[in-house]
Amino acid sequence: MSHKSTKTSVTTVERQTYSREEWAQQMAQQHITREDMNRLVMDFLVVEGYMEVARQFSLESGTEPQVNLDDIAERMNVRNAIQQGHIQEGIEYVNDMDSEILDTNPRLMFHLKQQQLIELIRDAKIEEALDFARDELMTSTEGQADLLEDLERTMALLAFSDLDASRSPVNDLLSLSQRQKTANKLNAAILESQGQDKEPRLPNILKMLVKMQELLKEKADFP
């Protein structure tokens, strides 16, 4: 019996090497207008809430913001209230701006009330916290397994109220980052209601460029 050997051909892609001059020429061919860059910067300033910087940037660059800059101040009042733990105050600010934001987003309202519950537990207002959980949160979890889990984790804080907080498996709920997380959700909802992007585009573009650079390094050498 004769055996025929089979050969598998493997195509090798040769790495391309660019000199500094060649790479500079490649970069020069990628044209991004100043107007496009200015719009990205303005978008970042507006979404992140830098009202005065955005106003000054508009004067210096001639870039018109797509929103009324005075609206930023109201949005920052909301975010600052949540970040400082004044949840009811933040809710009232939002309702003064546009009551439909929370009326049409029950999950967001749940997370705001969850944060209120966390603040009550933080302040050791245990009886008030129990009443608040029963009256304001229990009905919102019906048929919502993920919300029920969030409520159960929050209530678990009560079991560690008299112990070292660092020993609690749900200690993350008492961190400032939890307030920030809640503030970010509300900020995104306000931006969406105003027809704006929930997040600034500039950081996402930079992340994409870094990823593209990493992929390019696998195929070419460049300065």
Side-chain angles (χ1 to χ4, degrees):
M1 181 181 293
S2 61
H3 296 277
K4 295 183 179 180
S5 61
T6 59
K7 296 182 179 180
T8 303
S9 60
V10 178
T11 302
T12 303
V13 178
E14 183 178 352
R15 289 180 64 85
Q16 189 165 359
T17 302
Y18 292 91
S19 67
R20 187 174 297 277
E21 292 74 17
E22 290 172 333
W23 186 250
Q25 291 176 357
Q26 290 287 331
M27 293 297 98
Q29 295 174 11
Q30 311 306 314
H31 183 61
I32 301 177
T33 67
R34 179 177 293 275
E35 289 76 13
D36 288 338
M37 284 300 302
N38 286 345
R39 280 194 291 269
L40 285 173
V41 172
M42 178 60 77
D43 171 74
F44 175 82
L45 295 175
V46 168
V47 173
E48 291 299 316
Y50 299 114
M51 181 179 67
E52 293 305 325
V53 179
R55 200 184 305 278
Q56 187 63 32
F57 182 74
S58 177
L59 292 174
E60 294 180 358
S61 68
T63 305
E64 289 296 326
Q66 299 301 306
V67 297
N68 184 345
L69 291 181
D70 291 332
D71 291 342
I72 297 178
E74 295 182 332
R75 183 161 52 85
M76 290 304 97
N77 286 337
V78 174
R79 188 163 76 176
N80 291 338
I82 302 300
Q83 289 173 337
Q84 294 169 14
H86 306 316
I87 313 305
Q88 186 58 40
E89 181 180 331
I91 291 174
E92 291 171 1
Y93 277 140
V94 176
N95 286 333
D96 288 342
M97 292 175 62
D98 183 353
S99 61
E100 288 190 4
I101 295 174
L102 296 180
D103 288 344
T104 59
N105 198 333
R107 294 181 71 86
L108 174 59
M109 191 62 179
F110 170 87
H111 288 298
L112 288 169
K113 290 183 176 181
Q114 178 195 13
Q115 190 65 47
Q116 274 187 283
L117 177 59
I118 292 171
E119 301 304 332
L120 289 173
I121 296 173
R122 188 197 309 276
D123 294 338
K125 298 178 179 178
I126 306 305
E127 289 188 14
E128 190 175 344
L130 291 171
D131 291 341
F132 186 85
R134 182 193 62 226
D135 298 339
E136 299 291 340
L137 288 165
M138 282 300 298
T139 56
S140 301
T141 64
E142 294 178 0
Q144 304 289 336
D146 57 329
L147 298 186
L148 179 58
E149 182 179 352
D150 287 342
L151 178 56
E152 289 173 344
R153 290 189 74 243
T154 305
M155 295 302 291
L157 288 170
L158 293 171
F160 295 87
S161 59
D162 296 328
L163 301 175
D164 181 1
S166 63
R167 294 168 54 189
S168 169
V170 289
N171 184 49
D172 59 294
L173 294 177
L174 293 173
S175 67
L176 294 181
S177 62
Q178 170 64 26
R179 285 182 181 174
Q180 184 64 54
K181 179 180 176 181
T182 304
N184 288 344
K185 288 179 180 178
L186 184 52
N187 188 58
I190 296 172
L191 287 168
E192 185 176 29
S193 74
Q194 296 174 344
Q196 301 180 58
D197 292 332
K198 293 182 180 181
E199 297 179 354
R201 286 171 284 176
L202 186 57
N204 290 330
I205 290 175
L206 293 176
K207 289 177 183 178
M208 182 179 65
L209 290 175
V210 170
K211 183 62 177 179
M212 292 175 63
Q213 186 176 27
E214 292 174 352
L215 293 174
L216 185 57
K217 284 181 178 179
E218 298 176 1
K219 299 179 180 180
D221 297 313
F222 53 92

